[in-house]
Amino acid sequence: MTVAMPIWRNRVSPLLDTATRLLVLTCRDGAETSRRELMLSATSPAELARLLASLHLDQLLCGALSGELARDLKQHGVPVRPHLCGDVDSVLQAFCRRRLARSEFRMPGYQKRH
């Protein structure tokens, strides 16, 4: 499984559209097998979506993102889990343990709509 997360100061970056660093992890059988950091320099939502799609991600974990970028990612088949916040390692552990729904990982002000 390949998971990516935009990062800023060892936390989930608050806005994917303007993130400059992306953490990419590969996990197998519940254990991390590789971790790398990429520098992002996309100039448009479409360009960023193409770049993220080229990584063949199983999941993109992020904070906020623009509607345009969300549409572009969906069009490219990139599965996104938005509205997250927190320390990088804590969010990754919660993801692996299927506990990202906990309120401590929700962006302030975000309310799930039914």
Side-chain angles (χ1 to χ4, degrees):
M1 172 178 267
T2 303
V3 179
M5 177 188 326
I7 56 173
W8 181 73
R9 295 188 179 181
N10 203 39
R11 295 185 59 82
V12 177
S13 181
L15 181 61
L16 176 58
D17 299 61
T18 60
T20 57
R21 297 168 50 211
L22 185 74
L23 181 64
V24 180
L25 289 95
T26 304
C27 301
R28 179 170 287 161
D29 299 324
E32 186 179 314
T33 57
S34 71
R35 179 184 282 220
R36 63 188 168 128
E37 189 176 311
L38 303 175
M39 299 305 291
L40 299 175
S41 60
T43 57
S44 71
E47 185 180 334
L48 181 54
R50 281 191 297 276
L51 170 70
L52 293 170
S54 74
L55 298 173
H56 305 286
L57 301 173
D58 294 298
Q59 190 72 69
L60 173 63
L61 308 175
C62 67
L65 69 161
S66 69
E68 183 178 0
L69 180 54
R71 284 188 299 278
D72 289 342
L73 289 169
K74 185 175 183 176
Q75 183 178 34
H76 285 282
V78 178
V80 180
R81 179 79 185 260
H83 312 294
L84 299 173
C85 68
D87 172 77
V88 168
D89 289 324
S90 297
V91 170
L92 290 171
Q93 286 177 355
F95 173 76
C96 291
R97 294 179 181 151
R98 300 176 188 242
R99 294 185 178 160
L100 276 180
R102 295 172 60 175
S103 62
E104 66 194 87
F105 300 113
R106 254 182 276 140
M107 288 189 81
Y110 171 72
Q111 293 182 15
K112 190 172 184 176
R113 295 185 180 112
H114 300 283

